[in-house]
Each structure stands twice: as C-alpha cells, then as structure tokens.
Amino acid sequence: MSLLTKNHLLAASFATLAFASSTDAFACSSCGCTLNSDWSSQGISSGEGTRFDIRFDYFKQSDYRNGTSSVSRSNIPVGTEVQDTTINRNLTLGLDHSFNQDWAINLLLPIFNRSHGTYGEDGDYPDPAALITSSSKGIGDLRVTGRYQGLSADRSSGVTFGLKLPTGETNDTFNDGSPLDRGLQLGTGTTDLLLGGYYFGSINRDWDYFAQATVQIALNKHDDFRPGNGLNATAGVRYMGFESFIPQLQLNTRIEKRESGAEADVDNSGATLIYISPGVTVPINKTVQAFGFIQVPIYQHVNGYQVEPNVLLSTGLRFSF
C-alpha cells in the first residue's frame, strides 16, 4: 500500500469517528464549545517555535430538550428538576511549543464565567421565587498534551496524548447554599487521559482539508462522581485562494457517556451533539492571526432533560514567536 493511500485512509478514519459513533453521550451541564482552533494540527500553523492563543466563547443554553426534540417546561412531570438557562462567557488560554519538526507540547487552560438557573423538583415552575441561581467564575481543568508529528515525511499526520488535570473548583454552590450540580462545577476533580490523532492535506491548489479526533477517558472518580468518557471529532475544509483572509467550514461532533456515581445526574447526562461551524481566519501581520466562528447545531440527542444552545460564538487571536 502506498504512503498516499495510507494517509487518505487515516484521514477517512478520523472523519468516520466524527459521524459513526452512536453511543449515549454528553451532559449539557458540562457542554462547551466544540470548535477546534488547534491550527498546528490543521496545517495552518506549523514548524518549530512557540504560539500563544486566546479565545472567547459565548453561548446561552436555554433550549429545553428531551431526546432529539425541544420540549415545553410546563409539561415536565412533578418531581423532575426543571433547568432554566445557563449562560457561558469563557476564555481559553493556549500555549503551543514545537521543539522540532516531530515533537510539540500544548497547554490549554479554560477560564469560566458561567451563570445558571434552575427550578427544584417540587413542581414550582414557573414561580420566580422558586428559581435558584449560581454564578461560577474561575479556572477550569488544565489540559496538557504532547504531539508527535512524524508519522509522514511532510508532517501532515500525527498523534496527540496527554492528561486533563483536576485544577478546577468542585465545591461551588447555588445562592441558597445547596451544592451546585457536579456537571456544572468549574472542574470535574478527576484526571482524564487524552488520546487523539489528526491528518490534513490539499484537495487542489486552493482547497485544504483536515480531520481530528480526541478521546477523553476519566482515570478515577472524585467525591462519588465520575464524568462520562467522551469523543471530540472535527472534519473541515478551508479556502486558501484569498490573500487577506481564510474562510473555513468545520463539522464538529461531541459525544460523551453518562456521568456515574452517587453525586452524578445519571438520568440527565449524556448526549450526541453535531454542529456546523463556518468561520474565517484573518492574518493581521506575520505573527498575529485573528479568527471568528459561529456554531449552529444540526443534530442534538440528549438523555433525559437538558438545556442546549441554539448558537455558539467564538473569536480569538493567535500569536507566533
């Protein structure tokens, strides 16, 4: 089998991960932006050196869902918690350093600003006096990953491996003093294994494509809580024919198993989420790039009752040194 054929099979396998998984998945309380802005593994930015990213994500989760459908909160049975709205205003700081053509390291630190409101399980919706709220601000769980880029002579394919470390707070509360849901905490309290791979290439002179996938596996539990194992996968294309900007289209898939443990919301955790994400990257000068994207859900399947966003906005800057 030729190297070209092997590389295309590798790309196809990553793209398949984005579409073929059918497991129950993702807890809405821990939902985040699924946009992939790791330009090094997309082929936009590569080579030795150091790069710093700052990214801002905004999304409002207010679409109350069950299965694949939106549902009315007024029809929820008594005894079921009725979530109102979760508003996310999050920063992600990223540091990427390539030691040589083959090896690199990447650090990602999220900084959350998340407000949430929910009604209890006593049938008090929509009584405003029954709404309890939380406001969570602080760092989340740090992700440290290594990247090996030497699978092919042109460095167009590679693998990633690392850990998510328990640096985020896990003891936040609602305004009435009751414990905040574990899936809404700034961190999970667990150490998670991160394993992934990527491939990028050219369709022709003007069009490039890329595929990426990362599996996240919790290695332990913390205070009777274990987050669900998950998969993030992205497939995308970009147009390189313009000098002043680079249009791009991503298809992002996020899949996660249900939470587990005595403190988990097992019934209302887990979903399969697929977003289409048009955006643009703009080179400001030789060392700075700006980018902006809009994510729109095209498929959502949640377990139990969960709130999801109708649109997600992301913008950021990348600095190369």
Side-chain angles (χ1 to χ4, degrees), residues 1-2 33-34 51 78 113 117 131 134 172 180 194 197 206 218 225 228 265 271 284 289 291 311-312:
M1 183 181 292
S2 68
C33 182
T34 59
R51 289 160 286 275
V78 175
N113 181 349
L131 182 70
S134 67
D172 207 355
L180 185 63
L194 306 172
D206 293 330
F225 175 81
D265 188 0
I284 297 176
Q289 293 178 319
F291 61 90
V311 66
L312 302 91

mmCIF file of all heavy atoms in Angstrom, residues 1-2 33-34 51 78 113 117 131 134 172 180 194 197 206 218 225 228 265 271 284 289 291 311-312:
data_model
loop_
_atom_site.group_PDB
_atom_site.id
_atom_site.type_symbol
_atom_site.label_atom_id
_atom_site.label_comp_id
_atom_site.label_asym_id
_atom_site.label_seq_id
_atom_site.Cartn_x
_atom_site.Cartn_y
_atom_site.Cartn_z
ATOM 1 N N MET A 1 0.845 -1.196 0.000
ATOM 2 C CA MET A 1 0.000 0.000 0.000
ATOM 3 C C MET A 1 0.882 1.247 0.000
ATOM 4 O O MET A 1 1.815 1.363 0.768
ATOM 5 C CB MET A 1 -0.906 -0.001 1.242
ATOM 6 C CG MET A 1 -1.886 1.175 1.281
ATOM 7 S SD MET A 1 -2.902 1.152 2.784
ATOM 8 C CE MET A 1 -3.897 -0.310 2.455
ATOM 9 N N SER A 2 0.575 2.222 -0.858
ATOM 10 C CA SER A 2 1.401 3.425 -0.952
ATOM 11 C C SER A 2 1.189 4.320 0.257
ATOM 12 O O SER A 2 0.176 4.239 0.963
ATOM 13 C CB SER A 2 1.045 4.208 -2.219
ATOM 14 O OG SER A 2 -0.247 4.751 -2.115
ATOM 15 N N CYS A 33 -17.921 24.774 24.041
ATOM 16 C CA CYS A 33 -17.760 24.989 22.615
ATOM 17 C C CYS A 33 -16.931 23.862 22.027
ATOM 18 O O CYS A 33 -15.872 23.525 22.551
ATOM 19 C CB CYS A 33 -17.084 26.336 22.395
ATOM 20 S SG CYS A 33 -16.864 26.754 20.671
ATOM 21 N N THR A 34 -17.393 23.238 20.942
ATOM 22 C CA THR A 34 -16.684 22.118 20.332
ATOM 23 C C THR A 34 -15.790 22.560 19.179
ATOM 24 O O THR A 34 -15.178 21.724 18.518
ATOM 25 C CB THR A 34 -17.690 21.077 19.799
ATOM 26 O OG1 THR A 34 -18.531 21.707 18.833
ATOM 27 C CG2 THR A 34 -18.537 20.520 20.932
ATOM 28 N N ARG A 51 3.693 29.372 20.124
ATOM 29 C CA ARG A 51 2.473 30.067 19.749
ATOM 30 C C ARG A 51 1.576 30.210 20.985
ATOM 31 O O ARG A 51 1.486 29.283 21.798
ATOM 32 C CB ARG A 51 1.754 29.319 18.622
ATOM 33 C CG ARG A 51 2.462 29.407 17.281
ATOM 34 C CD ARG A 51 2.044 28.320 16.323
ATOM 35 N NE ARG A 51 2.595 27.036 16.684
ATOM 36 C CZ ARG A 51 3.810 26.615 16.324
ATOM 37 N NH1 ARG A 51 4.594 27.407 15.596
ATOM 38 N NH2 ARG A 51 4.251 25.423 16.671
ATOM 39 N N VAL A 78 -44.064 16.577 37.724
ATOM 40 C CA VAL A 78 -43.631 16.956 39.067
ATOM 41 C C VAL A 78 -42.636 15.916 39.569
ATOM 42 O O VAL A 78 -42.807 14.717 39.353
ATOM 43 C CB VAL A 78 -44.839 17.061 40.020
ATOM 44 C CG1 VAL A 78 -44.363 17.338 41.445
ATOM 45 C CG2 VAL A 78 -45.790 18.147 39.546
ATOM 46 N N ASN A 113 -16.809 31.822 33.149
ATOM 47 C CA ASN A 113 -17.736 32.770 33.756
ATOM 48 C C ASN A 113 -19.126 32.264 33.380
ATOM 49 O O ASN A 113 -19.625 32.538 32.293
ATOM 50 C CB ASN A 113 -17.489 34.181 33.231
ATOM 51 C CG ASN A 113 -18.418 35.205 33.859
ATOM 52 O OD1 ASN A 113 -19.389 34.865 34.532
ATOM 53 N ND2 ASN A 113 -18.133 36.475 33.625
ATOM 54 N N GLY A 117 -29.460 28.946 36.196
ATOM 55 C CA GLY A 117 -30.682 28.997 36.979
ATOM 56 C C GLY A 117 -31.494 27.734 36.801
ATOM 57 O O GLY A 117 -31.542 27.159 35.700
ATOM 58 N N LEU A 131 -36.919 29.927 41.687
ATOM 59 C CA LEU A 131 -35.705 29.833 40.877
ATOM 60 C C LEU A 131 -34.475 30.015 41.764
ATOM 61 O O LEU A 131 -34.349 31.000 42.475
ATOM 62 C CB LEU A 131 -35.723 30.898 39.785
ATOM 63 C CG LEU A 131 -34.538 30.889 38.812
ATOM 64 C CD1 LEU A 131 -34.606 29.664 37.918
ATOM 65 C CD2 LEU A 131 -34.520 32.168 37.974
ATOM 66 N N SER A 134 -26.834 30.246 40.302
ATOM 67 C CA SER A 134 -25.423 30.150 40.655
ATOM 68 C C SER A 134 -24.630 31.038 39.707
ATOM 69 O O SER A 134 -25.055 31.317 38.578
ATOM 70 C CB SER A 134 -24.924 28.702 40.553
ATOM 71 O OG SER A 134 -24.942 28.265 39.200
ATOM 72 N N ASP A 172 -18.571 24.531 44.334
ATOM 73 C CA ASP A 172 -19.404 25.718 44.193
ATOM 74 C C ASP A 172 -20.838 25.406 44.631
ATOM 75 O O ASP A 172 -21.275 24.246 44.640
ATOM 76 C CB ASP A 172 -19.374 26.201 42.745
ATOM 77 C CG ASP A 172 -19.627 27.693 42.629
ATOM 78 O OD1 ASP A 172 -19.924 28.326 43.664
ATOM 79 O OD2 ASP A 172 -19.533 28.235 41.517
ATOM 80 N N LEU A 180 -23.947 22.919 44.041
ATOM 81 C CA LEU A 180 -24.163 23.020 42.611
ATOM 82 C C LEU A 180 -23.963 21.651 41.974
ATOM 83 O O LEU A 180 -23.110 20.865 42.399
ATOM 84 C CB LEU A 180 -23.164 24.017 42.008
ATOM 85 C CG LEU A 180 -23.299 24.354 40.519
ATOM 86 C CD1 LEU A 180 -24.624 25.037 40.235
ATOM 87 C CD2 LEU A 180 -22.142 25.252 40.076
ATOM 88 N N LEU A 194 -6.084 11.719 27.613
ATOM 89 C CA LEU A 194 -6.426 12.303 26.315
ATOM 90 C C LEU A 194 -5.613 11.613 25.228
ATOM 91 O O LEU A 194 -4.376 11.613 25.272
ATOM 92 C CB LEU A 194 -6.124 13.803 26.305
ATOM 93 C CG LEU A 194 -6.760 14.640 27.420
ATOM 94 C CD1 LEU A 194 -6.202 16.057 27.397
ATOM 95 C CD2 LEU A 194 -8.280 14.659 27.287
ATOM 96 N N GLY A 197 -5.647 11.915 17.284
ATOM 97 C CA GLY A 197 -4.864 11.917 16.057
ATOM 98 C C GLY A 197 -5.432 12.910 15.070
ATOM 99 O O GLY A 197 -6.550 13.410 15.237
ATOM 100 N N ASP A 206 -6.113 25.516 -4.132
ATOM 101 C CA ASP A 206 -6.799 26.480 -3.275
ATOM 102 C C ASP A 206 -7.508 25.864 -2.072
ATOM 103 O O ASP A 206 -7.800 26.574 -1.109
ATOM 104 C CB ASP A 206 -7.831 27.263 -4.096
ATOM 105 C CG ASP A 206 -7.181 28.174 -5.132
ATOM 106 O OD1 ASP A 206 -6.056 28.644 -4.881
ATOM 107 O OD2 ASP A 206 -7.812 28.420 -6.184
ATOM 108 N N ALA A 218 -11.873 9.292 31.768
ATOM 109 C CA ALA A 218 -11.621 9.585 33.179
ATOM 110 C C ALA A 218 -10.905 8.399 33.823
ATOM 111 O O ALA A 218 -11.356 7.252 33.713
ATOM 112 C CB ALA A 218 -12.925 9.883 33.897
ATOM 113 N N PHE A 225 -18.190 11.000 42.122
ATOM 114 C CA PHE A 225 -18.575 11.499 40.797
ATOM 115 C C PHE A 225 -17.500 11.117 39.781
ATOM 116 O O PHE A 225 -16.301 11.276 40.033
ATOM 117 C CB PHE A 225 -18.729 13.020 40.815
ATOM 118 C CG PHE A 225 -18.995 13.617 39.458
ATOM 119 C CD1 PHE A 225 -20.267 13.608 38.918
ATOM 120 C CD2 PHE A 225 -17.965 14.194 38.724
ATOM 121 C CE1 PHE A 225 -20.513 14.160 37.661
ATOM 122 C CE2 PHE A 225 -18.200 14.745 37.470
ATOM 123 C CZ PHE A 225 -19.485 14.727 36.944
ATOM 124 N N GLY A 228 -18.519 11.302 32.287
ATOM 125 C CA GLY A 228 -18.592 10.318 31.213
ATOM 126 C C GLY A 228 -17.412 10.418 30.265
ATOM 127 O O GLY A 228 -16.928 11.505 29.954
ATOM 128 N N ASP A 265 -25.735 13.144 37.989
ATOM 129 C CA ASP A 265 -27.097 13.218 37.467
ATOM 130 C C ASP A 265 -27.176 12.241 36.301
ATOM 131 O O ASP A 265 -27.156 12.622 35.126
ATOM 132 C CB ASP A 265 -27.404 14.650 37.018
ATOM 133 C CG ASP A 265 -28.869 14.834 36.645
ATOM 134 O OD1 ASP A 265 -29.636 13.851 36.737
ATOM 135 O OD2 ASP A 265 -29.243 15.953 36.256
ATOM 136 N N ALA A 271 -25.138 12.946 25.791
ATOM 137 C CA ALA A 271 -25.761 13.412 24.555
ATOM 138 C C ALA A 271 -24.811 13.224 23.393
ATOM 139 O O ALA A 271 -23.611 13.035 23.570
ATOM 140 C CB ALA A 271 -26.154 14.886 24.672
ATOM 141 N N ILE A 284 -3.261 39.239 10.570
ATOM 142 C CA ILE A 284 -3.084 40.662 10.826
ATOM 143 C C ILE A 284 -1.688 41.121 10.415
ATOM 144 O O ILE A 284 -1.511 42.174 9.812
ATOM 145 C CB ILE A 284 -3.346 40.960 12.315
ATOM 146 C CG1 ILE A 284 -4.811 40.628 12.647
ATOM 147 C CG2 ILE A 284 -3.039 42.421 12.641
ATOM 148 C CD1 ILE A 284 -5.148 40.789 14.101
ATOM 149 N N GLN A 289 -2.676 36.326 14.106
ATOM 150 C CA GLN A 289 -3.865 35.956 13.345
ATOM 151 C C GLN A 289 -5.086 36.132 14.224
ATOM 152 O O GLN A 289 -5.054 35.852 15.426
ATOM 153 C CB GLN A 289 -3.790 34.497 12.887
ATOM 154 C CG GLN A 289 -2.715 34.195 11.858
ATOM 155 C CD GLN A 289 -2.693 32.711 11.513
ATOM 156 O OE1 GLN A 289 -2.827 31.851 12.375
ATOM 157 N NE2 GLN A 289 -2.540 32.412 10.231
ATOM 158 N N PHE A 291 -9.381 35.216 14.456
ATOM 159 C CA PHE A 291 -10.360 34.287 13.901
ATOM 160 C C PHE A 291 -11.708 34.485 14.571
ATOM 161 O O PHE A 291 -11.813 34.965 15.711
ATOM 162 C CB PHE A 291 -9.893 32.830 14.045
ATOM 163 C CG PHE A 291 -9.685 32.375 15.468
ATOM 164 C CD1 PHE A 291 -10.719 31.807 16.205
ATOM 165 C CD2 PHE A 291 -8.445 32.500 16.074
ATOM 166 C CE1 PHE A 291 -10.526 31.385 17.507
ATOM 167 C CE2 PHE A 291 -8.231 32.081 17.374
ATOM 168 C CZ PHE A 291 -9.277 31.514 18.098
ATOM 169 N N VAL A 311 -27.072 28.669 19.265
ATOM 170 C CA VAL A 311 -25.927 29.176 18.511
ATOM 171 C C VAL A 311 -24.782 29.395 19.490
ATOM 172 O O VAL A 311 -25.000 29.678 20.680
ATOM 173 C CB VAL A 311 -26.292 30.490 17.769
ATOM 174 C CG1 VAL A 311 -26.580 31.608 18.749
ATOM 175 C CG2 VAL A 311 -25.193 30.885 16.794
ATOM 176 N N LEU A 312 -23.545 29.238 19.006
ATOM 177 C CA LEU A 312 -22.351 29.479 19.800
ATOM 178 C C LEU A 312 -21.433 30.403 19.014
ATOM 179 O O LEU A 312 -21.267 30.234 17.794
ATOM 180 C CB LEU A 312 -21.608 28.182 20.131
ATOM 181 C CG LEU A 312 -22.384 27.097 20.890
ATOM 182 C CD1 LEU A 312 -23.070 26.153 19.905
ATOM 183 C CD2 LEU A 312 -21.438 26.288 21.790
#
